[in-house]
Amino acid sequence: MNEIVQRTSPDRRNFRLDGVVPWGRQLDEYRAFFALDDVMPSANILDIGGGPSSFTSEAVAGGFDVTAVDPIYAFDGPAIRAQFDATSKALRAGMHAAAYRFNWGFYGSETQVHRRRQTALELFLTDFALAGSRRYVAAALPNLAFDDGAFDLALISHFLFLYGDELDGVFHIAALREALRVAGEVRVFPLVNLDGRPSSHLPGVIRALETDGYRVTLQSVDFEFQVGATKMLRIRRG
């Protein structure tokens, strides 16, 4: 999903939510934090809140069937690029000032994170121009314009739980029920908020979905960027 601008206070060095901005991720990142090695190329995948990630482009090139959905797909490529450029400086400053909140083992440095985001953006924009609405659908949770069971797997990256101060528990439950309407399995990462604390919405979400009859598990993944964010939520039909 689009990341949020995280500005820091000179005194407290704490992040401050300042809105949603278009920063995307690459296939190897998705593979790590969604533990995708068990997903067969025949799977029909939905990337919910994909933003300008290159996951869809790279996965399709590798033989997977992927559709991405995000409200920013209502804009054209130049507008998405302009949003990326307009917010990059603030986001980079936030990561640099709060470097202690991150495990840099996967990326190495804030500079490398930014380079990856730029690469993802370029790959995305190329595919977005070629495939358009055939692969990139402008829509948002909790209302997805897809048939029941249209996908085998839905992925929700850096949106639910991370934005817990902005999106309440009712929204989280409605969003996941909608994702489960259109996909047989849903995976969500991360499960912490912007401060790196376990989301306060998670216990209630799990209870609601288990009451609905879904199998809900917390699965450890071989990825950690936000310190302590090492698990994804995996939800399957009972």
Short mmCIF file of all heavy atoms in Angstrom, two decimals, residues 1-2 23-27 30 33-34 36 44-57 59 65-71 73 124 135-141 144 146 151 153-159 179 182-183 185 187 189:
data_model
loop_
_atom_site.label_atom_id
_atom_site.label_comp_id
_atom_site.label_asym_id
_atom_site.label_seq_id
_atom_site.Cartn_x
_atom_site.Cartn_y
_atom_site.Cartn_z
N MET A 1 0.84 -1.19 0.00
CA MET A 1 0.00 0.00 0.00
C MET A 1 0.87 1.23 0.00
O MET A 1 2.04 1.18 0.31
CB MET A 1 -0.91 -0.02 1.25
CG MET A 1 -1.79 1.21 1.43
SD MET A 1 -2.96 1.42 0.11
CE MET A 1 -3.71 2.96 0.50
N ASN A 2 0.25 2.38 -0.32
CA ASN A 2 0.95 3.63 -0.18
C ASN A 2 1.41 3.79 1.26
O ASN A 2 0.68 3.53 2.18
CB ASN A 2 0.01 4.80 -0.49
CG ASN A 2 -0.62 4.65 -1.83
OD1 ASN A 2 -0.03 4.09 -2.73
ND2 ASN A 2 -1.82 5.15 -1.98
N TRP A 23 4.20 5.22 -2.24
CA TRP A 23 5.51 4.55 -2.22
C TRP A 23 5.22 3.05 -2.31
O TRP A 23 4.48 2.51 -1.49
CB TRP A 23 6.25 4.86 -0.91
CG TRP A 23 6.98 6.17 -0.97
CD1 TRP A 23 6.49 7.36 -1.39
CD2 TRP A 23 8.35 6.40 -0.61
NE1 TRP A 23 7.44 8.33 -1.30
CE2 TRP A 23 8.59 7.77 -0.83
CE3 TRP A 23 9.37 5.59 -0.11
CZ2 TRP A 23 9.82 8.35 -0.57
CZ3 TRP A 23 10.59 6.17 0.15
CH2 TRP A 23 10.82 7.54 -0.09
N GLY A 24 5.83 2.39 -3.29
CA GLY A 24 5.55 0.98 -3.52
C GLY A 24 6.74 0.08 -3.23
O GLY A 24 7.85 0.53 -2.98
N ARG A 25 6.49 -1.23 -3.34
CA ARG A 25 7.51 -2.23 -3.04
C ARG A 25 7.68 -3.19 -4.21
O ARG A 25 6.86 -3.24 -5.11
CB ARG A 25 7.15 -2.98 -1.76
CG ARG A 25 7.24 -2.08 -0.53
CD ARG A 25 6.63 -2.73 0.70
NE ARG A 25 6.79 -1.86 1.85
CZ ARG A 25 6.03 -0.81 2.12
NH1 ARG A 25 5.01 -0.51 1.32
NH2 ARG A 25 6.25 -0.06 3.18
N GLN A 26 8.74 -3.99 -4.12
CA GLN A 26 9.10 -4.90 -5.19
C GLN A 26 8.75 -6.35 -4.85
O GLN A 26 8.40 -6.68 -3.72
CB GLN A 26 10.60 -4.77 -5.49
CG GLN A 26 11.01 -3.40 -5.99
CD GLN A 26 12.51 -3.28 -6.16
OE1 GLN A 26 13.23 -2.92 -5.24
NE2 GLN A 26 12.99 -3.59 -7.36
N LEU A 27 8.87 -7.20 -5.86
CA LEU A 27 8.49 -8.60 -5.72
C LEU A 27 9.25 -9.29 -4.60
O LEU A 27 8.64 -10.05 -3.82
CB LEU A 27 8.75 -9.34 -7.05
CG LEU A 27 8.56 -10.85 -7.05
CD1 LEU A 27 7.13 -11.24 -6.67
CD2 LEU A 27 8.93 -11.44 -8.41
N TYR A 30 7.65 -8.43 -1.25
CA TYR A 30 6.39 -9.16 -1.08
C TYR A 30 6.66 -10.64 -0.78
O TYR A 30 6.01 -11.23 0.09
CB TYR A 30 5.56 -9.07 -2.35
CG TYR A 30 4.65 -7.87 -2.46
CD1 TYR A 30 5.15 -6.58 -2.52
CD2 TYR A 30 3.27 -8.03 -2.55
CE1 TYR A 30 4.32 -5.48 -2.67
CE2 TYR A 30 2.42 -6.94 -2.69
CZ TYR A 30 2.96 -5.67 -2.74
OH TYR A 30 2.13 -4.58 -2.87
N PHE A 33 7.84 -10.77 3.05
CA PHE A 33 6.92 -10.53 4.16
C PHE A 33 5.55 -11.20 4.00
O PHE A 33 4.77 -11.25 4.95
CB PHE A 33 6.78 -9.04 4.50
CG PHE A 33 6.38 -8.10 3.41
CD1 PHE A 33 5.16 -8.19 2.78
CD2 PHE A 33 7.24 -7.06 3.05
CE1 PHE A 33 4.80 -7.28 1.80
CE2 PHE A 33 6.88 -6.13 2.09
CZ PHE A 33 5.65 -6.24 1.46
N PHE A 34 5.26 -11.77 2.84
CA PHE A 34 4.06 -12.58 2.68
C PHE A 34 4.35 -14.08 2.56
O PHE A 34 3.43 -14.87 2.34
CB PHE A 34 3.27 -12.13 1.44
CG PHE A 34 2.47 -10.87 1.64
CD1 PHE A 34 2.60 -9.81 0.75
CD2 PHE A 34 1.60 -10.73 2.71
CE1 PHE A 34 1.85 -8.66 0.91
CE2 PHE A 34 0.86 -9.57 2.88
CZ PHE A 34 1.00 -8.52 1.98
N LEU A 36 5.67 -16.01 0.23
CA LEU A 36 4.99 -16.43 -0.99
C LEU A 36 5.59 -17.68 -1.64
O LEU A 36 5.10 -18.09 -2.70
CB LEU A 36 4.99 -15.29 -2.01
CG LEU A 36 4.17 -14.06 -1.64
CD1 LEU A 36 4.29 -12.99 -2.73
CD2 LEU A 36 2.71 -14.42 -1.39
N ASN A 44 -4.47 -17.16 -8.71
CA ASN A 44 -4.99 -15.88 -9.16
C ASN A 44 -4.90 -14.93 -7.96
O ASN A 44 -5.61 -15.12 -6.97
CB ASN A 44 -6.43 -16.06 -9.62
CG ASN A 44 -6.98 -14.83 -10.32
OD1 ASN A 44 -6.27 -13.86 -10.55
ND2 ASN A 44 -8.26 -14.86 -10.63
N ILE A 45 -4.06 -13.91 -8.05
CA ILE A 45 -3.71 -13.08 -6.90
C ILE A 45 -4.26 -11.67 -7.05
O ILE A 45 -4.21 -11.08 -8.14
CB ILE A 45 -2.18 -13.01 -6.72
CG1 ILE A 45 -1.60 -14.42 -6.53
CG2 ILE A 45 -1.81 -12.13 -5.53
CD1 ILE A 45 -0.08 -14.47 -6.55
N LEU A 46 -4.76 -11.11 -5.95
CA LEU A 46 -5.20 -9.72 -5.90
C LEU A 46 -4.32 -8.96 -4.92
O LEU A 46 -4.21 -9.32 -3.75
CB LEU A 46 -6.66 -9.65 -5.44
CG LEU A 46 -7.26 -8.24 -5.28
CD1 LEU A 46 -7.32 -7.53 -6.63
CD2 LEU A 46 -8.64 -8.30 -4.64
N ASP A 47 -3.68 -7.90 -5.40
CA ASP A 47 -2.87 -7.03 -4.56
C ASP A 47 -3.72 -5.83 -4.17
O ASP A 47 -3.95 -4.92 -4.98
CB ASP A 47 -1.62 -6.59 -5.31
CG ASP A 47 -0.68 -5.75 -4.46
OD1 ASP A 47 -0.83 -5.78 -3.22
OD2 ASP A 47 0.20 -5.08 -5.02
N ILE A 48 -4.21 -5.82 -2.93
CA ILE A 48 -5.11 -4.77 -2.46
C ILE A 48 -4.29 -3.62 -1.88
O ILE A 48 -3.49 -3.81 -0.98
CB ILE A 48 -6.09 -5.31 -1.41
CG1 ILE A 48 -6.96 -6.44 -2.00
CG2 ILE A 48 -6.98 -4.19 -0.88
CD1 ILE A 48 -7.89 -7.08 -0.99
N GLY A 49 -4.52 -2.42 -2.39
CA GLY A 49 -3.75 -1.27 -1.94
C GLY A 49 -2.33 -1.31 -2.46
O GLY A 49 -1.39 -0.90 -1.78
N GLY A 50 -2.18 -1.80 -3.67
CA GLY A 50 -0.83 -1.99 -4.23
C GLY A 50 -0.08 -0.71 -4.50
O GLY A 50 1.15 -0.72 -4.53
N GLY A 51 -0.78 0.39 -4.69
CA GLY A 51 -0.09 1.65 -4.98
C GLY A 51 0.86 1.49 -6.15
O GLY A 51 0.64 0.68 -7.06
N PRO A 52 1.97 2.22 -6.15
CA PRO A 52 2.95 2.11 -7.25
C PRO A 52 3.98 1.02 -6.99
O PRO A 52 5.17 1.20 -7.24
CB PRO A 52 3.59 3.50 -7.26
CG PRO A 52 3.58 3.90 -5.83
CD PRO A 52 2.32 3.33 -5.24
N SER A 53 3.53 -0.12 -6.48
CA SER A 53 4.43 -1.26 -6.30
C SER A 53 4.69 -1.93 -7.64
O SER A 53 3.82 -1.94 -8.52
CB SER A 53 3.82 -2.28 -5.33
OG SER A 53 3.74 -1.76 -4.02
N SER A 54 5.86 -2.52 -7.77
CA SER A 54 6.18 -3.26 -8.98
C SER A 54 5.88 -4.74 -8.83
O SER A 54 6.16 -5.52 -9.74
CB SER A 54 7.65 -3.07 -9.35
OG SER A 54 8.51 -3.51 -8.31
N PHE A 55 5.27 -5.12 -7.70
CA PHE A 55 4.95 -6.53 -7.48
C PHE A 55 4.13 -7.11 -8.64
O PHE A 55 4.45 -8.17 -9.18
CB PHE A 55 4.19 -6.72 -6.17
CG PHE A 55 3.55 -8.07 -6.04
CD1 PHE A 55 4.32 -9.20 -5.81
CD2 PHE A 55 2.17 -8.22 -6.16
CE1 PHE A 55 3.73 -10.45 -5.71
CE2 PHE A 55 1.57 -9.46 -6.05
CZ PHE A 55 2.36 -10.58 -5.83
N THR A 56 3.07 -6.41 -9.01
CA THR A 56 2.19 -6.92 -10.07
C THR A 56 2.96 -7.10 -11.37
O THR A 56 2.90 -8.16 -12.01
CB THR A 56 1.00 -5.98 -10.27
OG1 THR A 56 0.20 -5.99 -9.08
CG2 THR A 56 0.14 -6.43 -11.44
N SER A 57 3.70 -6.09 -11.77
CA SER A 57 4.47 -6.15 -13.01
C SER A 57 5.48 -7.30 -12.99
O SER A 57 5.56 -8.09 -13.93
CB SER A 57 5.18 -4.82 -13.23
OG SER A 57 6.07 -4.91 -14.33
N ALA A 59 5.58 -9.97 -10.95
CA ALA A 59 4.96 -11.28 -10.80
C ALA A 59 4.34 -11.75 -12.11
O ALA A 59 4.45 -12.93 -12.48
CB ALA A 59 3.91 -11.24 -9.69
N ASP A 65 -0.67 -14.71 -12.28
CA ASP A 65 -1.87 -13.97 -12.68
C ASP A 65 -2.20 -13.01 -11.54
O ASP A 65 -2.67 -13.43 -10.49
CB ASP A 65 -3.02 -14.94 -12.92
CG ASP A 65 -4.29 -14.25 -13.40
OD1 ASP A 65 -4.26 -13.02 -13.58
OD2 ASP A 65 -5.31 -14.95 -13.57
N VAL A 66 -1.93 -11.72 -11.72
CA VAL A 66 -2.08 -10.74 -10.65
C VAL A 66 -2.89 -9.54 -11.13
O VAL A 66 -2.68 -9.04 -12.23
CB VAL A 66 -0.71 -10.25 -10.12
CG1 VAL A 66 -0.91 -9.30 -8.93
CG2 VAL A 66 0.18 -11.42 -9.72
N THR A 67 -3.79 -9.10 -10.28
CA THR A 67 -4.52 -7.85 -10.46
C THR A 67 -4.25 -6.98 -9.24
O THR A 67 -4.21 -7.47 -8.12
CB THR A 67 -6.03 -8.11 -10.59
OG1 THR A 67 -6.28 -8.95 -11.72
CG2 THR A 67 -6.81 -6.80 -10.74
N ALA A 68 -4.07 -5.68 -9.45
CA ALA A 68 -3.86 -4.76 -8.35
C ALA A 68 -5.03 -3.79 -8.25
O ALA A 68 -5.62 -3.42 -9.27
CB ALA A 68 -2.56 -3.98 -8.54
N VAL A 69 -5.36 -3.40 -7.03
CA VAL A 69 -6.44 -2.45 -6.82
C VAL A 69 -5.98 -1.38 -5.84
O VAL A 69 -5.34 -1.67 -4.83
CB VAL A 69 -7.72 -3.17 -6.29
CG1 VAL A 69 -7.45 -3.91 -5.00
CG2 VAL A 69 -8.87 -2.20 -6.12
N ASP A 70 -6.26 -0.12 -6.19
CA ASP A 70 -5.87 1.01 -5.34
C ASP A 70 -6.58 2.25 -5.88
O ASP A 70 -6.74 2.39 -7.10
CB ASP A 70 -4.34 1.22 -5.39
CG ASP A 70 -3.84 2.15 -4.29
OD1 ASP A 70 -4.12 3.36 -4.35
OD2 ASP A 70 -3.17 1.67 -3.37
N PRO A 71 -6.99 3.17 -5.00
CA PRO A 71 -7.64 4.39 -5.52
C PRO A 71 -6.74 5.28 -6.37
O PRO A 71 -7.24 6.04 -7.20
CB PRO A 71 -8.08 5.12 -4.23
CG PRO A 71 -7.31 4.51 -3.13
CD PRO A 71 -7.05 3.09 -3.54
N TYR A 73 -5.07 4.51 -8.83
CA TYR A 73 -5.10 4.12 -10.24
C TYR A 73 -6.12 4.94 -11.04
O TYR A 73 -6.19 4.81 -12.26
CB TYR A 73 -5.39 2.62 -10.39
CG TYR A 73 -4.38 1.75 -9.68
CD1 TYR A 73 -4.74 0.50 -9.18
CD2 TYR A 73 -3.06 2.16 -9.50
CE1 TYR A 73 -3.82 -0.31 -8.53
CE2 TYR A 73 -2.14 1.37 -8.84
CZ TYR A 73 -2.53 0.13 -8.35
OH TYR A 73 -1.62 -0.68 -7.69
N PHE A 124 6.50 0.01 -12.14
CA PHE A 124 5.05 0.15 -12.07
C PHE A 124 4.54 1.05 -13.20
O PHE A 124 3.58 0.70 -13.90
CB PHE A 124 4.62 0.72 -10.72
CG PHE A 124 3.26 1.34 -10.74
CD1 PHE A 124 2.12 0.55 -10.75
CD2 PHE A 124 3.12 2.73 -10.82
CE1 PHE A 124 0.85 1.14 -10.80
CE2 PHE A 124 1.86 3.32 -10.86
CZ PHE A 124 0.72 2.52 -10.86
N ARG A 135 -5.18 -4.50 -15.64
CA ARG A 135 -4.44 -5.07 -14.52
C ARG A 135 -4.49 -4.20 -13.27
O ARG A 135 -4.24 -4.68 -12.18
CB ARG A 135 -2.98 -5.27 -14.95
CG ARG A 135 -2.21 -6.21 -14.09
CD ARG A 135 -1.30 -7.14 -14.87
NE ARG A 135 -0.29 -6.47 -15.65
CZ ARG A 135 0.03 -6.84 -16.90
NH1 ARG A 135 -0.63 -7.82 -17.49
NH2 ARG A 135 0.97 -6.20 -17.56
N TYR A 136 -4.83 -2.93 -13.43
CA TYR A 136 -4.83 -1.98 -12.32
C TYR A 136 -6.22 -1.34 -12.20
O TYR A 136 -6.62 -0.57 -13.07
CB TYR A 136 -3.76 -0.91 -12.54
CG TYR A 136 -2.36 -1.49 -12.61
CD1 TYR A 136 -1.78 -1.82 -13.83
CD2 TYR A 136 -1.64 -1.75 -11.44
CE1 TYR A 136 -0.51 -2.37 -13.90
CE2 TYR A 136 -0.37 -2.31 -11.50
CZ TYR A 136 0.20 -2.61 -12.73
OH TYR A 136 1.45 -3.17 -12.79
N VAL A 137 -6.91 -1.67 -11.12
CA VAL A 137 -8.31 -1.26 -10.94
C VAL A 137 -8.40 -0.19 -9.86
O VAL A 137 -7.89 -0.37 -8.75
CB VAL A 137 -9.17 -2.47 -10.55
CG1 VAL A 137 -10.62 -2.05 -10.33
CG2 VAL A 137 -9.08 -3.56 -11.62
N ALA A 138 -9.04 0.91 -10.18
CA ALA A 138 -9.21 2.00 -9.23
C ALA A 138 -10.39 1.70 -8.30
O ALA A 138 -11.55 1.80 -8.70
CB ALA A 138 -9.43 3.32 -9.96
N ALA A 139 -10.09 1.31 -7.07
CA ALA A 139 -11.11 1.01 -6.07
C ALA A 139 -10.41 0.92 -4.72
O ALA A 139 -9.19 0.94 -4.64
CB ALA A 139 -11.84 -0.29 -6.39
N ALA A 140 -11.21 0.82 -3.66
CA ALA A 140 -10.63 0.79 -2.32
C ALA A 140 -11.50 -0.03 -1.38
O ALA A 140 -12.72 -0.12 -1.55
CB ALA A 140 -10.47 2.21 -1.77
N LEU A 141 -10.89 -0.61 -0.37
CA LEU A 141 -11.63 -1.26 0.70
C LEU A 141 -12.47 -0.22 1.44
O LEU A 141 -12.06 0.94 1.55
CB LEU A 141 -10.64 -1.91 1.67
CG LEU A 141 -9.91 -3.15 1.17
CD1 LEU A 141 -8.81 -3.55 2.16
CD2 LEU A 141 -10.87 -4.32 0.96
N LEU A 144 -14.98 -3.61 -3.07
CA LEU A 144 -14.19 -4.05 -4.21
C LEU A 144 -15.12 -4.54 -5.32
O LEU A 144 -16.06 -5.30 -5.07
CB LEU A 144 -13.25 -5.19 -3.80
CG LEU A 144 -12.25 -4.85 -2.68
CD1 LEU A 144 -11.42 -6.08 -2.33
CD2 LEU A 144 -11.34 -3.69 -3.10
N PHE A 146 -15.35 -6.81 -7.52
CA PHE A 146 -15.02 -8.13 -8.05
C PHE A 146 -16.09 -9.12 -7.59
O PHE A 146 -16.74 -8.92 -6.55
CB PHE A 146 -13.65 -8.60 -7.57
CG PHE A 146 -12.52 -7.67 -7.93
CD1 PHE A 146 -11.90 -6.90 -6.96
CD2 PHE A 146 -12.08 -7.57 -9.23
CE1 PHE A 146 -10.86 -6.04 -7.27
CE2 PHE A 146 -11.04 -6.71 -9.57
CZ PHE A 146 -10.43 -5.95 -8.59
N PHE A 151 -10.69 -14.54 -6.69
CA PHE A 151 -9.24 -14.73 -6.55
C PHE A 151 -8.93 -15.85 -5.55
O PHE A 151 -9.71 -16.12 -4.63
CB PHE A 151 -8.58 -13.43 -6.08
CG PHE A 151 -8.79 -12.28 -7.02
CD1 PHE A 151 -9.87 -11.41 -6.85
CD2 PHE A 151 -7.93 -12.07 -8.09
CE1 PHE A 151 -10.07 -10.36 -7.73
CE2 PHE A 151 -8.13 -11.02 -8.97
CZ PHE A 151 -9.20 -10.17 -8.79
N LEU A 153 -5.99 -15.74 -3.78
CA LEU A 153 -5.22 -15.11 -2.71
C LEU A 153 -5.28 -13.60 -2.83
O LEU A 153 -5.10 -13.06 -3.93
CB LEU A 153 -3.76 -15.58 -2.79
CG LEU A 153 -2.75 -14.93 -1.84
CD1 LEU A 153 -3.08 -15.26 -0.39
CD2 LEU A 153 -1.33 -15.37 -2.20
N ALA A 154 -5.52 -12.93 -1.71
CA ALA A 154 -5.45 -11.46 -1.66
C ALA A 154 -4.35 -11.06 -0.69
O ALA A 154 -4.21 -11.63 0.39
CB ALA A 154 -6.78 -10.88 -1.21
N LEU A 155 -3.58 -10.06 -1.08
CA LEU A 155 -2.47 -9.56 -0.27
C LEU A 155 -2.76 -8.10 0.09
O LEU A 155 -3.13 -7.31 -0.77
CB LEU A 155 -1.16 -9.63 -1.06
CG LEU A 155 -0.80 -10.99 -1.65
CD1 LEU A 155 0.45 -10.88 -2.52
CD2 LEU A 155 -0.59 -12.03 -0.55
N ILE A 156 -2.56 -7.77 1.38
CA ILE A 156 -2.77 -6.39 1.83
C ILE A 156 -1.50 -5.95 2.53
O ILE A 156 -1.19 -6.38 3.65
CB ILE A 156 -3.98 -6.27 2.78
CG1 ILE A 156 -5.24 -6.85 2.11
CG2 ILE A 156 -4.20 -4.81 3.17
CD1 ILE A 156 -6.46 -6.87 3.02
N SER A 157 -0.75 -5.10 1.88
CA SER A 157 0.57 -4.68 2.37
C SER A 157 0.55 -3.25 2.89
O SER A 157 0.14 -2.33 2.18
CB SER A 157 1.59 -4.78 1.22
OG SER A 157 2.76 -4.04 1.49
N HIS A 158 0.97 -3.07 4.16
CA HIS A 158 1.21 -1.75 4.73
C HIS A 158 0.01 -0.82 4.60
O HIS A 158 0.12 0.32 4.17
CB HIS A 158 2.46 -1.12 4.11
CG HIS A 158 3.71 -1.89 4.42
ND1 HIS A 158 4.07 -3.01 3.71
CD2 HIS A 158 4.65 -1.72 5.37
CE1 HIS A 158 5.19 -3.49 4.20
NE2 HIS A 158 5.56 -2.72 5.23
N PHE A 159 -1.13 -1.33 5.02
CA PHE A 159 -2.34 -0.53 5.04
C PHE A 159 -3.13 -0.82 6.31
O PHE A 159 -3.10 -0.02 7.25
CB PHE A 159 -3.18 -0.80 3.79
CG PHE A 159 -4.50 -0.05 3.78
CD1 PHE A 159 -4.54 1.31 4.05
CD2 PHE A 159 -5.68 -0.71 3.50
CE1 PHE A 159 -5.74 2.00 4.04
CE2 PHE A 159 -6.89 -0.03 3.48
CZ PHE A 159 -6.92 1.32 3.75
N ALA A 179 -12.38 -8.47 1.60
CA ALA A 179 -11.27 -9.18 0.95
C ALA A 179 -11.53 -10.67 0.91
O ALA A 179 -11.24 -11.34 -0.09
CB ALA A 179 -9.96 -8.88 1.69
N VAL A 182 -13.93 -11.86 -1.87
CA VAL A 182 -13.43 -12.00 -3.23
C VAL A 182 -12.26 -12.97 -3.34
O VAL A 182 -11.87 -13.32 -4.46
CB VAL A 182 -13.02 -10.63 -3.81
CG1 VAL A 182 -14.20 -9.67 -3.77
CG2 VAL A 182 -11.82 -10.04 -3.10
N ALA A 183 -11.69 -13.41 -2.22
CA ALA A 183 -10.51 -14.30 -2.27
C ALA A 183 -10.62 -15.41 -1.24
O ALA A 183 -11.14 -15.21 -0.14
CB ALA A 183 -9.23 -13.50 -2.02
N GLU A 185 -8.16 -16.82 0.34
CA GLU A 185 -7.21 -16.59 1.42
C GLU A 185 -6.75 -15.15 1.38
O GLU A 185 -6.59 -14.56 0.30
CB GLU A 185 -5.99 -17.52 1.28
CG GLU A 185 -4.93 -17.29 2.35
CD GLU A 185 -3.71 -18.20 2.19
OE1 GLU A 185 -3.79 -19.19 1.42
OE2 GLU A 185 -2.67 -17.91 2.83
N ARG A 187 -3.74 -12.49 3.16
CA ARG A 187 -2.55 -12.31 3.97
C ARG A 187 -2.33 -10.81 4.17
O ARG A 187 -2.43 -10.04 3.21
CB ARG A 187 -1.32 -12.95 3.31
CG ARG A 187 -1.48 -14.45 3.10
CD ARG A 187 -0.23 -15.10 2.52
NE ARG A 187 -0.49 -16.50 2.19
CZ ARG A 187 0.43 -17.36 1.75
NH1 ARG A 187 1.69 -16.96 1.60
NH2 ARG A 187 0.11 -18.61 1.48
N PHE A 189 0.21 -7.80 6.09
CA PHE A 189 1.47 -7.44 6.74
C PHE A 189 1.68 -5.95 6.60
O PHE A 189 1.39 -5.39 5.54
CB PHE A 189 2.64 -8.18 6.08
CG PHE A 189 3.98 -7.87 6.71
CD1 PHE A 189 4.45 -8.63 7.77
CD2 PHE A 189 4.75 -6.80 6.28
CE1 PHE A 189 5.66 -8.33 8.38
CE2 PHE A 189 5.96 -6.50 6.88
CZ PHE A 189 6.42 -7.27 7.93
#
